[in-house]
CSV table of all heavy atoms in Angstrom, one decimal:
chain,number,residue,atom,x,y,z
H,1,GLY,N,-21.0,-49.1,35.6
H,1,GLY,CA,-22.4,-49.0,35.5
H,1,GLY,C,-23.0,-49.7,34.4
H,1,GLY,O,-24.2,-49.6,34.1
H,2,VAL,N,-22.2,-50.6,33.7
H,2,VAL,CA,-22.7,-51.3,32.6
H,2,VAL,C,-22.0,-52.7,32.5
H,2,VAL,O,-20.9,-52.8,32.9
H,2,VAL,CB,-22.4,-50.5,31.3
H,2,VAL,CG1,-21.0,-50.2,31.1
H,2,VAL,CG2,-23.0,-51.2,30.0
H,3,GLU,N,-22.8,-53.7,32.1
H,3,GLU,CA,-22.3,-55.0,31.8
H,3,GLU,C,-22.5,-55.3,30.4
H,3,GLU,O,-23.6,-55.0,29.8
H,3,GLU,CB,-22.9,-56.1,32.7
H,3,GLU,CG,-22.5,-56.1,34.1
H,3,GLU,CD,-21.0,-56.3,34.4
H,3,GLU,OE1,-20.4,-57.0,33.6
H,3,GLU,OE2,-20.6,-55.8,35.4
H,4,HIS,N,-21.5,-55.8,29.7
H,4,HIS,CA,-21.5,-56.1,28.3
H,4,HIS,C,-21.6,-57.6,28.0
H,4,HIS,O,-20.9,-58.4,28.6
H,4,HIS,CB,-20.3,-55.5,27.5
H,4,HIS,CG,-20.3,-54.0,27.6
H,4,HIS,ND1,-21.0,-53.2,26.8
H,4,HIS,CD2,-19.6,-53.3,28.5
H,4,HIS,CE1,-20.7,-51.9,27.1
H,4,HIS,NE2,-19.9,-52.0,28.2
H,5,TYR,N,-22.4,-58.1,27.1
H,5,TYR,CA,-22.6,-59.4,26.7
H,5,TYR,C,-22.4,-59.5,25.2
H,5,TYR,O,-23.4,-59.1,24.5
H,5,TYR,CB,-23.9,-60.1,27.2
H,5,TYR,CG,-24.0,-59.8,28.7
H,5,TYR,CD1,-24.6,-58.7,29.2
H,5,TYR,CD2,-23.5,-60.8,29.6
H,5,TYR,CE1,-24.7,-58.5,30.6
H,5,TYR,CE2,-23.6,-60.6,31.0
H,5,TYR,CZ,-24.2,-59.4,31.4
H,5,TYR,OH,-24.3,-59.2,32.8
H,6,VAL,N,-21.2,-59.9,24.8
H,6,VAL,CA,-20.9,-59.8,23.4
H,6,VAL,C,-20.6,-61.3,22.9
H,6,VAL,O,-19.8,-62.0,23.6
H,6,VAL,CB,-19.7,-58.9,23.0
H,6,VAL,CG1,-19.4,-58.9,21.5
H,6,VAL,CG2,-19.9,-57.5,23.6
H,7,LYS,N,-21.1,-61.6,21.7
H,7,LYS,CA,-20.9,-63.0,21.2
H,7,LYS,C,-19.4,-63.2,21.1
H,7,LYS,O,-18.7,-62.4,20.5
H,7,LYS,CB,-21.5,-63.2,19.9
H,7,LYS,CG,-21.4,-64.6,19.3
H,7,LYS,CD,-22.1,-64.7,18.0
H,7,LYS,CE,-22.0,-66.1,17.4
H,7,LYS,NZ,-20.6,-66.5,17.1
H,8,SER,N,-18.9,-64.3,21.6
H,8,SER,CA,-17.5,-64.7,21.5
H,8,SER,C,-17.2,-65.3,20.2
H,8,SER,O,-18.0,-65.8,19.5
H,8,SER,CB,-17.2,-65.7,22.6
H,8,SER,OG,-15.9,-66.2,22.5
H,9,GLN,N,-15.9,-65.1,19.8
H,9,GLN,CA,-15.5,-65.8,18.6
H,9,GLN,C,-14.7,-67.1,18.9
H,9,GLN,O,-14.1,-67.6,18.0
H,9,GLN,CB,-14.5,-64.8,17.9
H,9,GLN,CG,-15.2,-63.6,17.3
H,9,GLN,CD,-14.2,-62.7,16.5
H,9,GLN,OE1,-13.0,-62.9,16.5
H,9,GLN,NE2,-14.8,-61.7,15.8
H,10,ARG,N,-14.8,-67.5,20.1
H,10,ARG,CA,-14.0,-68.7,20.5
H,10,ARG,C,-14.3,-69.9,19.7
H,10,ARG,O,-13.4,-70.7,19.3
H,10,ARG,CB,-14.2,-69.0,22.0
H,10,ARG,CG,-13.4,-68.2,22.9
H,10,ARG,CD,-13.5,-68.7,24.3
H,10,ARG,NE,-14.9,-68.6,24.9
H,10,ARG,CZ,-15.3,-67.7,25.6
H,10,ARG,NH1,-14.5,-66.7,26.0
H,10,ARG,NH2,-16.5,-67.6,26.1
H,11,SER,N,-15.6,-70.1,19.3
H,11,SER,CA,-16.0,-71.2,18.6
H,11,SER,C,-15.7,-71.1,17.0
H,11,SER,O,-15.9,-72.0,16.3
H,11,SER,CB,-17.5,-71.5,18.8
H,11,SER,OG,-18.3,-70.4,18.3
H,12,ASN,N,-15.2,-69.9,16.6
H,12,ASN,CA,-15.0,-69.7,15.2
H,12,ASN,C,-13.5,-70.3,14.9
H,12,ASN,O,-12.5,-69.8,15.4
H,12,ASN,CB,-15.1,-68.2,14.9
H,12,ASN,CG,-14.9,-67.9,13.4
H,12,ASN,OD1,-14.3,-68.8,12.7
H,12,ASN,ND2,-15.3,-66.7,13.0
H,13,LYS,N,-13.5,-71.2,14.0
H,13,LYS,CA,-12.2,-71.8,13.7
H,13,LYS,C,-11.2,-70.8,13.0
H,13,LYS,O,-10.0,-71.0,13.0
H,13,LYS,CB,-12.3,-73.1,12.9
H,13,LYS,CG,-12.9,-72.9,11.5
H,13,LYS,CD,-13.1,-74.2,10.8
H,13,LYS,CE,-13.8,-73.9,9.4
H,13,LYS,NZ,-14.3,-75.1,8.9
H,14,ASN,N,-11.8,-69.8,12.4
H,14,ASN,CA,-11.1,-68.8,11.7
H,14,ASN,C,-11.0,-67.5,12.5
H,14,ASN,O,-11.0,-66.4,12.0
H,14,ASN,CB,-11.6,-68.4,10.3
H,14,ASN,CG,-11.6,-69.7,9.4
H,14,ASN,OD1,-10.7,-70.4,9.4
H,14,ASN,ND2,-12.6,-69.8,8.6
H,15,ARG,N,-10.9,-67.7,13.8
H,15,ARG,CA,-11.1,-66.5,14.7
H,15,ARG,C,-10.2,-65.4,14.5
H,15,ARG,O,-10.7,-64.2,14.4
H,15,ARG,CB,-10.8,-67.1,16.1
H,15,ARG,CG,-10.9,-66.1,17.2
H,15,ARG,CD,-10.6,-66.8,18.5
H,15,ARG,NE,-10.7,-65.9,19.6
H,15,ARG,CZ,-10.6,-66.2,20.9
H,15,ARG,NH1,-10.2,-67.4,21.2
H,15,ARG,NH2,-10.7,-65.3,21.8
H,16,GLY,N,-9.0,-65.5,14.2
H,16,GLY,CA,-8.0,-64.5,13.9
H,16,GLY,C,-8.2,-63.9,12.5
H,16,GLY,O,-7.6,-62.8,12.2
H,17,GLU,N,-9.1,-64.5,11.7
H,17,GLU,CA,-9.3,-64.0,10.3
H,17,GLU,C,-10.5,-63.1,10.2
H,17,GLU,O,-10.9,-62.6,9.1
H,17,GLU,CB,-9.3,-65.2,9.4
H,17,GLU,CG,-8.0,-65.9,9.3
H,17,GLU,CD,-8.1,-67.2,8.5
H,17,GLU,OE1,-9.0,-67.4,7.7
H,17,GLU,OE2,-7.2,-68.1,8.6
H,18,GLU,N,-11.3,-63.0,11.2
H,18,GLU,CA,-12.6,-62.2,11.2
H,18,GLU,C,-12.2,-60.7,10.9
H,18,GLU,O,-11.3,-60.2,11.5
H,18,GLU,CB,-13.3,-62.3,12.5
H,18,GLU,CG,-14.0,-63.5,12.8
H,18,GLU,CD,-15.2,-63.8,12.0
H,18,GLU,OE1,-15.9,-62.7,11.5
H,18,GLU,OE2,-15.6,-64.9,11.7
H,19,PRO,N,-12.9,-60.1,9.9
H,19,PRO,CA,-12.7,-58.7,9.6
H,19,PRO,C,-13.2,-57.8,10.8
H,19,PRO,O,-14.1,-58.2,11.5
H,19,PRO,CB,-13.5,-58.5,8.3
H,19,PRO,CG,-14.5,-59.6,8.3
H,19,PRO,CD,-14.0,-60.7,9.0
H,20,GLN,N,-12.7,-56.6,10.8
H,20,GLN,CA,-13.1,-55.7,11.9
H,20,GLN,C,-14.6,-55.4,11.8
H,20,GLN,O,-15.2,-55.1,12.8
H,20,GLN,CB,-12.3,-54.4,11.8
H,20,GLN,CG,-10.9,-54.5,12.3
H,20,GLN,CD,-10.8,-54.7,13.8
H,20,GLN,OE1,-11.4,-53.9,14.5
H,20,GLN,NE2,-10.2,-55.8,14.2
H,21,ASN,N,-15.2,-55.5,10.6
H,21,ASN,CA,-16.6,-55.1,10.5
H,21,ASN,C,-17.5,-56.3,10.6
H,21,ASN,O,-18.7,-56.2,10.1
H,21,ASN,CB,-16.8,-54.3,9.3
H,21,ASN,CG,-16.5,-55.0,8.0
H,21,ASN,OD1,-15.9,-56.1,8.0
H,21,ASN,ND2,-16.9,-54.4,6.9
H,22,ALA,N,-17.0,-57.5,11.0
H,22,ALA,CA,-17.8,-58.7,11.1
H,22,ALA,C,-18.9,-58.5,12.0
H,22,ALA,O,-18.8,-57.7,13.0
H,22,ALA,CB,-17.0,-59.9,11.5
H,23,PRO,N,-20.2,-58.8,11.6
H,23,PRO,CA,-21.3,-58.6,12.6
H,23,PRO,C,-21.3,-59.3,13.8
H,23,PRO,O,-20.8,-60.5,13.9
H,23,PRO,CB,-22.5,-59.0,11.6
H,23,PRO,CG,-22.0,-60.0,10.7
H,23,PRO,CD,-20.5,-59.5,10.5
H,24,VAL,N,-21.7,-58.7,14.9
H,24,VAL,CA,-21.7,-59.3,16.2
H,24,VAL,C,-23.0,-58.9,17.0
H,24,VAL,O,-23.5,-57.8,16.7
H,24,VAL,CB,-20.4,-59.0,17.0
H,24,VAL,CG1,-20.4,-57.5,17.4
H,24,VAL,CG2,-20.3,-59.9,18.2
H,25,ASN,N,-23.5,-59.7,17.8
H,25,ASN,CA,-24.6,-59.3,18.7
H,25,ASN,C,-24.0,-58.9,20.0
H,25,ASN,O,-23.1,-59.5,20.6
H,25,ASN,CB,-25.5,-60.5,18.9
H,25,ASN,CG,-26.2,-60.9,17.6
H,25,ASN,OD1,-26.3,-60.1,16.7
H,25,ASN,ND2,-26.7,-62.1,17.5
H,26,HIS,N,-24.6,-57.8,20.6
H,26,HIS,CA,-24.1,-57.2,21.8
H,26,HIS,C,-25.2,-56.8,22.7
H,26,HIS,O,-26.1,-56.1,22.2
H,26,HIS,CB,-23.2,-56.1,21.4
H,26,HIS,CG,-22.6,-55.3,22.5
H,26,HIS,ND1,-21.4,-54.6,22.3
H,26,HIS,CD2,-22.9,-55.0,23.8
H,26,HIS,CE1,-21.0,-54.0,23.4
H,26,HIS,NE2,-21.9,-54.2,24.3
H,27,ILE,N,-25.3,-57.2,23.9
H,27,ILE,CA,-26.4,-56.7,24.8
H,27,ILE,C,-25.6,-56.0,25.9
H,27,ILE,O,-24.6,-56.4,26.5
H,27,ILE,CB,-27.2,-57.9,25.4
H,27,ILE,CG1,-27.9,-58.6,24.4
H,27,ILE,CG2,-28.1,-57.4,26.5
H,27,ILE,CD1,-28.7,-59.8,24.8
H,28,MET,N,-26.3,-54.8,26.3
H,28,MET,CA,-25.7,-54.0,27.4
H,28,MET,C,-26.8,-54.0,28.5
H,28,MET,O,-28.0,-53.7,28.2
H,28,MET,CB,-25.4,-52.6,27.0
H,28,MET,CG,-24.3,-52.4,26.1
H,28,MET,SD,-23.9,-50.7,25.7
H,28,MET,CE,-25.5,-50.0,25.0
H,29,ASP,N,-26.4,-54.2,29.7
H,29,ASP,CA,-27.3,-54.0,30.9
H,29,ASP,C,-26.6,-52.8,31.6
H,29,ASP,O,-25.5,-52.8,32.1
H,29,ASP,CB,-27.2,-55.2,31.9
H,29,ASP,CG,-28.4,-55.3,32.7
H,29,ASP,OD1,-29.5,-54.8,32.3
H,29,ASP,OD2,-28.3,-55.9,33.8
H,30,ILE,N,-27.3,-51.6,31.5
H,30,ILE,CA,-26.7,-50.4,31.9
H,30,ILE,C,-27.7,-49.6,32.7
H,30,ILE,O,-28.9,-49.5,32.5
H,30,ILE,CB,-26.3,-49.6,30.6
H,30,ILE,CG1,-25.5,-48.3,30.9
H,30,ILE,CG2,-27.6,-49.3,29.7
H,30,ILE,CD1,-24.9,-47.8,29.6
H,31,ASN,N,-27.1,-48.8,33.8
H,31,ASN,CA,-27.9,-47.9,34.6
H,31,ASN,C,-28.0,-46.6,33.9
H,31,ASN,O,-27.2,-46.2,33.0
H,31,ASN,CB,-27.4,-47.9,36.0
H,31,ASN,CG,-26.1,-47.1,36.2
H,31,ASN,OD1,-26.0,-45.9,35.8
H,31,ASN,ND2,-25.2,-47.6,36.9
H,32,ALA,N,-28.9,-45.8,34.3
H,32,ALA,CA,-29.3,-44.5,33.6
H,32,ALA,C,-28.1,-43.6,33.6
H,32,ALA,O,-27.9,-42.8,32.6
H,32,ALA,CB,-30.5,-43.9,34.2
H,33,GLN,N,-27.4,-43.5,34.8
H,33,GLN,CA,-26.3,-42.6,34.8
H,33,GLN,C,-25.2,-42.9,33.8
H,33,GLN,O,-24.6,-42.1,33.1
H,33,GLN,CB,-25.7,-42.5,36.2
H,33,GLN,CG,-24.7,-41.3,36.3
H,33,GLN,CD,-24.2,-41.1,37.7
H,33,GLN,OE1,-24.3,-42.0,38.6
H,33,GLN,NE2,-23.7,-40.0,38.1
H,34,ALA,N,-24.8,-44.2,33.7
H,34,ALA,CA,-23.8,-44.7,32.8
H,34,ALA,C,-24.3,-44.4,31.3
H,34,ALA,O,-23.5,-44.2,30.5
H,34,ALA,CB,-23.6,-46.2,33.1
H,35,LEU,N,-25.6,-44.6,31.1
H,35,LEU,CA,-26.1,-44.4,29.8
H,35,LEU,C,-26.0,-43.0,29.4
H,35,LEU,O,-25.6,-42.6,28.2
H,35,LEU,CB,-27.6,-44.8,29.8
H,35,LEU,CG,-28.3,-44.5,28.4
H,35,LEU,CD1,-27.8,-45.5,27.4
H,35,LEU,CD2,-29.8,-44.8,28.6
H,36,ILE,N,-26.2,-42.0,30.3
H,36,ILE,CA,-26.1,-40.6,30.0
H,36,ILE,C,-24.6,-40.3,29.7
H,36,ILE,O,-24.3,-39.6,28.7
H,36,ILE,CB,-26.5,-39.8,31.2
H,36,ILE,CG1,-28.0,-39.8,31.4
H,36,ILE,CG2,-26.1,-38.3,31.1
H,36,ILE,CD1,-28.6,-39.4,32.7
H,37,PHE,N,-23.7,-40.9,30.5
H,37,PHE,CA,-22.2,-40.7,30.2
H,37,PHE,C,-21.8,-41.3,28.8
H,37,PHE,O,-21.1,-40.7,28.0
H,37,PHE,CB,-21.4,-41.3,31.3
H,37,PHE,CG,-20.0,-41.1,31.1
H,37,PHE,CD1,-19.3,-39.9,31.4
H,37,PHE,CD2,-19.1,-42.1,30.6
H,37,PHE,CE1,-18.0,-39.7,31.2
H,37,PHE,CE2,-17.8,-42.0,30.4
H,37,PHE,CZ,-17.2,-40.8,30.7
H,38,MET,N,-22.4,-42.5,28.6
H,38,MET,CA,-22.1,-43.1,27.3
H,38,MET,C,-22.5,-42.3,26.1
H,38,MET,O,-21.9,-42.1,25.1
H,38,MET,CB,-22.7,-44.5,27.2
H,38,MET,CG,-22.4,-45.3,25.9
H,38,MET,SD,-23.3,-46.8,25.9
H,38,MET,CE,-22.2,-47.8,27.0
H,39,ALA,N,-23.8,-41.7,26.2
H,39,ALA,CA,-24.3,-40.9,25.2
H,39,ALA,C,-23.4,-39.6,24.9
H,39,ALA,O,-23.2,-39.3,23.8
H,39,ALA,CB,-25.7,-40.5,25.5
H,40,ARG,N,-22.9,-39.0,26.0
H,40,ARG,CA,-22.0,-37.9,25.8
H,40,ARG,C,-20.8,-38.2,25.0
H,40,ARG,O,-20.4,-37.3,24.2
H,40,ARG,CB,-21.6,-37.4,27.2
H,40,ARG,CG,-22.7,-36.8,28.0
H,40,ARG,CD,-22.2,-36.3,29.4
H,40,ARG,NE,-23.3,-36.0,30.3
H,40,ARG,CZ,-23.2,-36.0,31.6
H,40,ARG,NH1,-22.1,-36.3,32.2
H,40,ARG,NH2,-24.3,-35.7,32.3
H,41,LYS,N,-20.3,-39.3,25.1
H,41,LYS,CA,-19.1,-39.6,24.4
H,41,LYS,C,-19.4,-40.3,23.0
H,41,LYS,O,-18.8,-39.9,22.0
H,41,LYS,CB,-18.3,-40.8,25.1
H,41,LYS,CG,-17.8,-40.3,26.5
H,41,LYS,CD,-16.9,-39.1,26.3
H,41,LYS,CE,-16.3,-38.6,27.7
H,41,LYS,NZ,-15.7,-37.3,27.6
H,42,ARG,N,-20.5,-41.1,22.9
H,42,ARG,CA,-20.7,-41.7,21.6
H,42,ARG,C,-21.6,-40.9,20.7
H,42,ARG,O,-21.7,-41.3,19.5
H,42,ARG,CB,-21.3,-43.1,21.9
H,42,ARG,CG,-20.4,-44.0,22.7
H,42,ARG,CD,-19.1,-44.2,22.0
H,42,ARG,NE,-18.1,-44.8,22.9
H,42,ARG,CZ,-16.8,-44.8,22.7
H,42,ARG,NH1,-16.3,-44.2,21.6
H,42,ARG,NH2,-16.0,-45.3,23.5
H,43,LEU,N,-22.1,-39.8,21.2
H,43,LEU,CA,-22.8,-38.9,20.3
H,43,LEU,C,-22.0,-37.7,19.8
H,43,LEU,O,-22.3,-37.0,18.9
H,43,LEU,CB,-24.1,-38.3,20.9
H,43,LEU,CG,-25.2,-39.3,21.2
H,43,LEU,CD1,-26.3,-38.7,22.0
H,43,LEU,CD2,-25.8,-39.9,19.9
H,44,CYS,N,-20.7,-37.7,20.3
H,44,CYS,CA,-19.8,-36.7,20.0
H,44,CYS,C,-19.5,-36.8,18.4
H,44,CYS,O,-19.5,-37.8,17.9
H,44,CYS,CB,-18.5,-36.9,20.7
H,44,CYS,SG,-17.2,-35.7,20.3
H,45,PHE,N,-19.3,-35.6,17.8
H,45,PHE,CA,-19.0,-35.6,16.4
H,45,PHE,C,-17.7,-36.2,16.1
H,45,PHE,O,-17.4,-36.4,14.9
H,45,PHE,CB,-19.2,-34.2,15.8
H,45,PHE,CG,-20.6,-33.7,15.8
H,45,PHE,CD1,-21.1,-32.8,16.7
H,45,PHE,CD2,-21.5,-34.2,14.9
H,45,PHE,CE1,-22.4,-32.4,16.7
H,45,PHE,CE2,-22.9,-33.8,14.9
H,45,PHE,CZ,-23.3,-32.9,15.8
H,46,LYS,N,-16.8,-36.3,17.1
H,46,LYS,CA,-15.5,-36.9,16.9
H,46,LYS,C,-15.6,-38.5,17.0
H,46,LYS,O,-14.7,-39.2,16.6
H,46,LYS,CB,-14.5,-36.5,17.9
H,46,LYS,CG,-14.1,-35.0,17.8
H,46,LYS,CD,-13.4,-34.7,16.5
H,46,LYS,CE,-11.9,-35.0,16.7
H,46,LYS,NZ,-11.1,-34.6,15.6
């Protein structure tokens, strides 16, 4: 119920050297039911 569009690192010559916290842009096209499910998991205190 969701499509993700995340900036690729393909054009980055140091692709394998990017840190885990490197900033990225991400767009989600998501239906309401998938959003509800996502919130259940991503709002969890774990």
Side-chain angles (χ1 to χ4, degrees):
V2 59
E3 289 295 331
H4 299 275
Y5 305 91
V6 182
K7 183 181 180 299
S8 172
Q9 292 183 352
R10 282 190 295 263
S11 60
N12 184 344
K13 64 183 176 191
N14 298 325
R15 182 177 181 181
E17 298 172 16
E18 286 286 335
Q20 285 291 304
N21 64 349
V24 69
N25 294 338
H26 182 150
I27 296 178
M28 295 187 297
D29 203 28
I30 187 167
N31 75 49
Q33 187 174 26
L35 180 67
I36 291 166
F37 180 78
M38 182 182 284
R40 289 178 192 159
K41 298 299 182 192
R42 299 304 165 197
L43 291 174
C44 174
F45 290 105
K46 293 292 280 188

